[in-house]
Amino acid sequence: MEIFLDTGIVDEVREASMMGVIDGVTTNPSLIAKSGRGQDEVIKEIASIVDGPISAEVIATDWEGMIKEGKELAKIHDNVVIKVPMTEDGIKACKWFSDNNIKTNVTLVFSPNQAFLAAKNGATYVSPFVGRLDDVGHDGMAIIDEIRTVFDNYGYTTKILAASIRHSTHVRDSLMVGADVATIPFKVLKSLFKHPLTDVGLANFIADYNKANKKA
Ligand code: G3P
């Protein structure tokens, strides 16, 4: 499974990139707003750090507007993936981008039917929002599992990008149900490295080494 970093903060991208584990980055208008910077400059800087797909979201809600904005975003860097919302206009724009060899990420996906329509129109990625489904009492991971079955049943090559990941269990479950990618906030990425038994075990090894090598 690929790991994308879900952030608009360039310093986080830089640090995660040094870890060597990230394959791409996703942003959205809320994440870009948190950075306090403009989308274009943030995307340009991220592209100079990470050699992989970088999702940048359109703000327009009509398909002509989405295409206009998406064409401009795609000019920033070859790795830019155009994020469009899961609406009739978004899916129409998705087809246009796909026909014109521009990669897309259909966002705000909450059902297998929505994912199916996005795949039918050539989406490169679909982003089911696991955490937001959990927030309203649904089983977010079950939706990923169902989308996996739909795509495998019909041979769709659209990648399932597990989004709205809130904790390490979401990452583990994404791996278990066969998501192609998980986009992960920086804090959650850091938590994946940790286990209390690793810390205890390491402290014991170092203590034993020091005891055995104590100078008389
Ligand atoms: O990529 C979109 C996703 O990150 C949204 O996450 O936590 O705002 O539901 P969240």
Side-chain angles (χ1 to χ4, degrees):
M1 183 176 80
E2 289 186 306
I3 295 179
F4 291 174
L5 193 68
D6 198 24
T7 190
I9 309 289
V10 172
D11 283 347
E12 292 185 351
V13 174
R14 200 167 281 117
E15 203 179 321
S17 164
M18 305 266 276
M19 294 170 184
V21 293
I22 63 162
D23 304 289
V25 176
T26 53
T27 65
N28 63 39
S30 309
L31 293 171
I32 295 284
K34 276 191 205 155
S35 77
R37 302 172 63 192
Q39 170 157 264
D40 288 14
E41 60 165 310
V42 169
I43 298 295
K44 208 174 286 173
E45 204 172 336
I46 291 174
S48 73
I49 301 166
V50 174
D51 184 18
I54 301 158
S55 289
E57 190 159 339
V58 298
I59 300 300
T61 53
D62 62 299
W63 73 279
E64 291 100 332
M66 290 182 203
I67 288 168
K68 193 162 164 256
E69 271 181 47
K71 282 202 282 196
E72 288 306 309
L73 289 169
K75 279 185 205 158
I76 297 176
H77 196 280
D78 284 350
N79 285 340
V80 170
V81 174
I82 309 304
K83 219 174 180 185
V84 296
M86 179 57 233
T87 58
E88 282 188 32
D89 279 68
I91 293 304
K92 199 166 159 184
C94 178
K95 173 90 167 73
W96 187 91
F97 288 124
S98 164
D99 289 346
N100 286 276
N101 294 315
I102 294 174
K103 291 190 170 138
T104 50
N105 175 357
V106 175
T107 189
L108 294 165
V109 167
F110 294 97
S111 76
N113 285 343
Q114 290 179 321
F116 161 55
L117 293 174
K120 225 175 161 40
N121 268 12
T124 315
Y125 300 95
V126 284
S127 289
F129 277 28
V130 177
R132 291 193 197 182
L133 278 162
D134 290 353
D135 288 345
V136 295
H138 291 250
D139 181 352
M141 207 45 71
I143 299 298
I144 304 261
D145 198 12
E146 289 174 15
I147 296 171
R148 179 77 280 153
T149 302
V150 171
F151 286 7
D152 290 350
N153 280 349
Y154 296 98
Y156 288 121
T157 54
T158 298
K159 290 187 174 179
I160 303 172
L161 199 172
S164 188
I165 294 286
R166 303 277 174 76
H167 45 71
S168 59
T169 306
H170 277 154
V171 178
R172 194 266 320 269
D173 291 346
S174 297
L175 287 160
M176 297 308 292
V177 299
D180 298 294
V181 192
T183 188
I184 306 178
F186 188 60
K187 206 171 111 203
V188 176
L189 178 66
K190 298 263 280 184
S191 79
L192 302 183
F193 288 86
K194 303 287 282 177
H195 194 287
L197 291 178
T198 305
D199 298 340
V200 171
L202 182 59
N204 285 340
F205 285 152
I206 290 170
D208 288 344
Y209 174 87
N210 287 338
K211 232 183 286 167
N213 292 280
K214 206 163 56 187
K215 292 202 174 95

